[in-house]
């Protein structure tokens, strides 16, 4: 019987931590304090007594943050979701009962956020692929030609795009036709002297 109760207790604790962790209104300090309350929780009643000194020692929180987080865990948060309800007290230490009525909402929230992040990541990858594709296919940067005079605005001296820069005589290699020991070759051959290929 005791083993079943321990398993149930562990399952309850894990569910409670997962629910609070998925809750967007809970802060890291709130989670730390909730874990401290769970460490002293009685089972199966779910009641926990935690003094401020022990709470601060277990969490590393200041007294002010301890009170802020305890108030938030008791339901005074933006969503009005309590994870602890008052269950009396003994002297200076208040007792709380730990509850987890938001488990199903947390599961739905995680599923919705997973879908959101997948879609966001898909869109980022699509944008990245499109950007990469357009940058590879359309290099329209201007390439200066050999002997280019930047102050001259005529067609000969104006820069040309990278896609047609190799078609200009100053950037093409000389033809081998007519090349010999005395003549290294030329881009310009007299009309009618080119050999038919």
């Amino acid at each position: 019987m005791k083993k079943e109760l321990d398993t149930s207790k562990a399952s309850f604790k894990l569910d409670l931590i997962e629910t609070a962790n998925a809750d967007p209104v809970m802060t890291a300090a709130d989670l730390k304090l909730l874990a401290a309350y769970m460490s002293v929780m009685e089972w199966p009643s779910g009641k926990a007594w935690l003094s401020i000194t022990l709470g601060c020692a277990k969490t590393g929180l200041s007294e002010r943050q301890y009170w802020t987080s305890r108030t938030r865990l008791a339901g005074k948060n933006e969503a009005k979701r309590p994870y602890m309800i008052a269950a009396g007290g003994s002297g200076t230490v208040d007792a709380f009962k730990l509850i987890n009525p938001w488990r199903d909402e947390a599961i739905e929230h995680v599923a919705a956020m997973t879908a959101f992040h997948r879609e966001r990541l898909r869109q980022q990858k699509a944008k990245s692929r499109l950007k990469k594709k357009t940058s590879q296919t359309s290099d329209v940067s201007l390439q200066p030609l050999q002997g280019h005079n930047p102050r001259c605005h005529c067609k000969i001296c104006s820069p040309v795009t990278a896609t047609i820069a190799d078609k200009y005589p100053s950037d093409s290699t000389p033809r081998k036709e007519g090349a010999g020991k005395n003549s290294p070759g030329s881009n310009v051959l007299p009309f009618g002297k080119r050999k038919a290929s």
Side-chain angles (χ1 to χ4, degrees):
M1 180 75 176
K2 182 165 183 359
K3 191 173 182 181
E4 279 181 21
L5 290 176
D6 286 346
T7 305
S8 300
K9 181 181 181 181
S11 180
F12 174 79
K13 284 181 170 184
L14 183 59
D15 282 347
L16 185 56
I17 283 292
E18 286 179 349
T19 301
N21 189 46
D23 192 338
V25 299
M26 289 290 111
T27 66
D30 300 344
L31 288 172
K32 287 175 97 173
L33 188 60
L34 183 61
Y37 268 98
M38 284 191 297
S39 71
V40 296
M41 177 183 73
E42 290 182 349
W43 190 254
S45 68
K47 283 188 179 179
W49 289 265
L50 185 67
S51 67
I52 188 167
T53 53
L54 183 59
C56 290
K58 280 180 171 278
T59 61
L61 301 175
S62 65
E63 284 185 34
R64 180 179 177 197
Q65 186 59 59
Y66 169 89
W67 291 112
T68 303
S69 290
R70 194 177 94 164
T71 303
R72 291 171 57 75
L73 288 168
K76 292 185 180 171
N77 53 55
E78 296 86 356
K80 307 287 187 242
R81 278 194 287 268
Y83 290 91
M84 306 185 323
I85 53 173
S90 56
T92 59
V93 181
D94 293 329
F96 287 94
K97 179 176 169 73
L98 300 178
I99 59 171
N100 188 10
W102 320 110
R103 183 174 175 269
D104 293 338
E105 285 182 23
I107 291 169
E108 289 173 12
H109 174 74
V110 168
M113 291 307 292
T114 301
F116 167 78
H117 288 295
R118 276 189 187 141
E119 179 60 20
R120 184 179 54 80
L121 188 60
R122 187 193 67 75
Q123 288 179 5
Q124 281 179 343
K125 285 181 179 178
K127 279 183 186 176
S128 176
R129 280 193 302 268
L130 182 64
K131 195 175 191 180
K132 190 174 183 181
K133 187 178 178 182
T134 56
S135 69
Q136 287 175 349
T137 57
S138 60
D139 181 12
V140 291
S141 59
L142 297 178
Q143 307 295 322
L145 287 175
Q146 218 172 21
H148 165 66
N149 180 355
R151 288 172 287 215
C152 180
H153 298 290
C154 69
K155 288 183 180 180
I156 294 171
C157 292
S158 64
V160 294
T161 60
T163 54
I164 61 169
D166 63 332
K167 294 176 179 51
Y168 277 73
S170 61
D171 283 353
S172 1
T173 56
R175 289 194 181 120
K176 292 184 180 178
E177 298 173 34
K181 290 181 182 176
N182 299 332
S183 174
S186 170
N187 285 337
V188 182
L189 290 175
F191 183 77
K193 296 284 185 180
R194 185 175 295 183
K195 292 179 187 175
S197 50

